Amino acid sequence: MIHTESAEHLGSGLWYLPQVFDPRTYREIRRCYRETATGWQCLSPNRLMSLPNNPDYGYLREVALDINLAVSELTGHQLRPLDQTIFVDLPGHQLTWHFDNYNYRVLLQVYFGDIAQPGMGTQWYLGDQNSRLLEKYGTDSIVDIAGLEITETAYAPNAGYINDNTQKKAHGTRRVPVSSSRESVLFTFG
């Protein structure tokens, strides 16, 4: 179901997967939130997040259970699925640079748009300044990354990344341009 054999280790507990799911699973996940009565909440004027009681969450939970072992093996952690969340970032949305909180150990984010969009993936700082930046800014606060080298996990349909959140890394996204969107599903594991 999940293609971890093609995972590229980028460093600091971050792997890029150019193709995450088999075609059937990918189509079914897209169908379940695009064609069902998904309920949404607006996190900001330009970001939608699915509500936790959506009908599509039953299928997403099944997928999380199916991929748990592969994600555990890749990261070296004994994991269990926690949450599955769908995001649609609309024009103007930008995820400011931050460190994630400690609510999960590993996350898999899979991109679900219609086309590859250069520069629209998640950007990461993988260098040795992360511990200093984390101490200075903490989690869920805006991090100043001026002058630091950036690595991007490319945004393309069915591509994504696995992030070992125990190895804290500052990350964010660029602003979504006009007439574009960024769709993704986050699977968290504890």
Side-chain angles (χ1 to χ4, degrees):
M1 178 180 284
I2 184 173
H3 299 286
T4 57
E5 70 280 351
S6 64
E8 176 186 358
H9 187 245
L10 302 176
S12 300
L14 181 67
W15 292 265
Y16 180 70
L17 292 84
Q19 181 178 343
V20 178
F21 293 117
D22 61 73
R24 184 184 147 281
T25 303
Y26 179 74
R27 279 191 313 273
E28 186 62 24
I29 291 173
R30 279 178 50 129
R31 187 201 61 72
C32 79
Y33 77 87
R34 285 184 170 186
E35 297 176 17
T36 62
T38 300
W40 300 94
Q41 60 183 317
C42 193
L43 294 182
S44 68
N46 306 82
R47 187 168 217 206
L48 302 175
M49 182 175 91
S50 57
L51 294 170
N53 59 351
N54 280 310
D56 46 294
Y57 273 59
Y59 181 72
L60 291 177
R61 278 196 263 318
E62 288 176 27
V63 170
L65 289 168
D66 286 346
I67 65 176
N68 185 63
L69 180 60
V71 174
S72 295
E73 289 176 352
L74 182 70
T75 61
H77 293 293
Q78 180 85 22
L79 300 171
R80 63 183 169 73
L82 296 175
D83 294 313
Q84 306 82 42
T85 308
I86 304 163
F87 288 97
V88 178
D89 300 337
L90 302 170
H93 175 73
Q94 179 176 11
L95 189 60
T96 57
W97 279 79
H98 65 284
F99 289 93
D100 287 343
N101 59 44
Y102 295 93
N103 295 344
Y104 65 90
R105 290 176 30 200
V106 171
L107 89 71
L108 165 63
Q109 181 173 19
V110 184
Y111 303 127
F112 277 88
D114 294 321
I115 59 169
Q117 296 183 59
M120 294 303 294
T122 304
Q123 299 178 322
W124 303 84
Y125 171 64
L126 302 176
D128 60 2
Q129 297 298 310
N130 272 315
S131 58
R132 179 187 65 78
L133 293 169
L134 179 60
E135 185 175 318
K136 180 176 181 178
Y137 295 102
T139 62
D140 296 326
S141 297
I142 298 174
V143 175
D144 179 7
I145 51 98
L148 300 178
E149 185 177 330
I150 304 304
T151 299
E152 184 169 327
T153 51
Y155 182 91
N158 201 20
Y161 63 83
I162 293 175
N163 174 38
D164 180 345
N165 191 43
T166 67
Q167 299 180 46
K168 295 294 190 193
K169 298 169 281 303
H171 61 283
T173 64
R174 291 188 178 117
R175 187 171 311 283
V176 177
V178 174
S179 72
S180 293
S181 66
R182 183 174 40 230
E183 298 175 30
S184 64
V185 177
L186 265 62
F187 296 88
T188 57
F189 301 86

